Amino acid sequence: MSTAYSDLPVVQYEGPQSTNPLAYRWYDANRVVLGKTLAEHLRPAVCYWHNFCWKGEDVFGLGATAHQRNWFAETDAVAAAKLKLDAAFDFFGKLGLPWWCFHDRDVAPEGATLAESNRILDGLLEAAAKKMQDQKIGLLWGTANLFSNPRFMSGAATNPDPEVFAYAAAQVKHVLEWTNRLGGQNYVLWGGREGYETLLNTDLKRELAQYGRFLSAVVEHKHKIGFKGTILIEPKPQEPTKHQYDYDSATVYGFLKTYGLENEVKVNLEVNHATLAGHSFEHEVATACALGIFGSIDANRGDEQLGWDTDQFPNNHAALVPAMLEIIRAGGFTTGGTNFDAKVRRQSIDPTDQLEGHIGGMDTMARAFLSAAALYESGQLEKAVGDRYAGWDGDLGKKIHGGASLDDLASIVHAQGISPVARSGRQERLENIVNAFV
């Protein structure tokens, strides 16, 4: 069957010298670095929602005709979903990337009841399973859309109406089971409306308890069905709510600790969400790694002149090197990977634009990883950090961690005449070292 992407070539690696806009210049999937191929390190995925569900509309009246695709013109919702599925897997094949990601409502339209919605989704995911097998494409993660329908206006798990909570739980149950059936590596929960618009009508303590119970139930069902993947939460500080409970990595960790889930749930970190929270992406990655909850990433970028989530393709490899270095230091991905949660710009209306966006994004991530790997192998930053904290491996550091009291430490200071002198952090030198590798 012909699709919107049928005339596009299969993207090949041609090397940095290539001038072909439809070839990879840095992403050589089979290149071995640090003992694994780039494909194994990065585990790249294509998302369903931005590529095949977004019509190019905006809030100022630019309608659904901006991006012309045959499934948008089809009036029968199920027939349109089938056209979209064919096109999606055609597009995946052109890129040659090993993974994809979806929400249930990306793949299938909603029915009059949840039972009907599930039946429609079942038929389409049965077809997707066959395509995955034929094309040898895996599922990086699945998730349920608990934010688009008006029933979720006041949240899903945190809704003041327990019927909404129950409906959301039933929806997640079905998608988690499908994620398991499709061999999904992870299941993601994005709490886009798990938060509040105003505290004037919000019982914050009650809502957090509801959210804790919801997540606990998801974890319980994961074990019941034998899902071996990872449950992930995707932090974001606001949009669409004023304040979302999954604000950032540290906030999520505190929430998980409160409900005893810190060993069950990890985070899926998005570049643009980190910057909206007032953090750098590397800060979010380093925090998650330090707390033991790092799972996966959404690769994109924001616009420094716009204060919202623009979901643009990453195009600055140098900016991503510090985050890639943190991932390497932590041992790399396990079940997670690099999902391109990014969309072309509204005026980029051709299918070729989608292909080129992913090519550029993939090359950016690969180049960032290669730079970070070379920097890591050089050992220069690792030595500098090791030297800076060397004293903690000595007698005094061991005594402190061994339980020395304030009295003990005061006695040591007086007995040894300790009078510390400030030492340079050498930031400029270290920044120059990083720049030498990018």
Side-chain angles (χ1 to χ4, degrees), residues 98-339:
W99 306 94
W100 70 299
C101 301
F102 75 91
H103 301 81
D104 49 356
R105 298 297 168 252
D106 301 335
V107 175
E110 199 161 359
T113 64
L114 181 58
E116 182 182 1
S117 297
N118 287 347
R119 284 194 297 271
I120 297 169
L121 181 64
D122 291 347
L124 286 154
L125 288 181
E126 290 280 5
K130 179 66 166 59
K131 292 177 182 292
M132 289 172 63
Q133 184 177 23
D134 291 344
Q135 295 183 214
K136 294 181 174 56
I137 294 175
L139 179 63
L140 188 65
W141 51 261
T143 187
N145 181 328
L146 304 180
F147 48 88
S148 292
N149 191 288
R151 72 174 64 90
F152 299 124
M153 181 184 299
S154 300
T158 59
N159 200 286
D161 183 350
E163 289 189 351
V164 176
F165 182 107
Y167 190 102
Q171 192 175 332
V172 168
K173 172 185 181 294
H174 196 69
V175 183
L176 178 57
E177 289 170 355
W178 259 111
T179 300
N180 187 39
R181 181 175 173 182
L182 294 172
Q185 301 288 290
N186 309 272
Y187 183 86
V188 171
L189 291 148
W190 177 61
R193 299 194 190 277
E194 311 295 8
Y196 62 81
E197 297 293 345
T198 175
L199 286 173
L200 296 176
N201 63 7
T202 300
D203 185 336
L204 194 149
K205 183 177 180 179
R206 180 189 292 272
E207 291 194 358
L208 287 172
Q210 290 172 206
Y211 202 4
R213 179 63 205 125
F214 191 93
L215 188 57
S216 295
V218 173
V219 170
E220 290 161 10
H221 197 67
K222 164 193 166 170
H223 292 301
K224 180 179 179 180
I225 65 176
F227 178 53
K228 302 303 182 186
T230 304
I231 304 296
L232 301 173
I233 284 180
E234 182 168 327
K236 190 179 183 183
Q238 69 273 329
E239 291 186 344
T241 60
K242 174 183 176 179
H243 176 90
Q244 286 161 212
Y245 297 133
D246 301 330
Y247 194 92
D248 58 11
S249 290
T251 305
V252 170
Y253 181 74
F255 171 79
L256 296 176
K257 285 285 287 186
T258 298
Y259 296 99
L261 296 168
E262 70 274 15
N263 296 320
E264 293 281 2
V265 180
K266 299 185 185 300
V267 287
N268 179 61
L269 300 174
E270 179 174 313
V271 177
N272 209 170
H273 293 179
T275 53
L276 286 173
H279 305 309
S280 67
F281 184 51
E282 58 265 29
H283 166 86
E284 280 292 270
V285 173
T287 299
C289 290
L291 296 172
I293 59 170
F294 176 72
S296 195
I297 65 172
D298 279 356
N300 59 22
R301 78 180 198 276
D303 188 311
E304 293 179 357
Q305 294 178 298
L306 300 176
W308 60 86
D309 194 0
T310 57
D311 286 328
Q312 295 170 249
F313 282 95
N315 69 351
N316 183 347
H317 77 280
L320 291 164
V321 169
M324 284 296 183
L325 182 61
E326 295 294 341
I327 293 172
I328 290 170
R329 283 171 169 167
F333 294 115
T334 54
T335 61
T338 306
N339 172 49

Side-chain angles (χ1 to χ4, degrees), residues 391-392 394-400 404-423:
W392 286 93
D395 289 341
L396 180 57
K398 291 176 181 178
K399 287 177 181 178
I400 292 172
S405 67
L406 296 186
D407 284 335
D408 294 332
L409 294 174
S411 296
I412 292 171
V413 168
H414 293 306
Q416 297 182 14
I418 292 177
S419 181
V421 177
R423 293 179 297 159

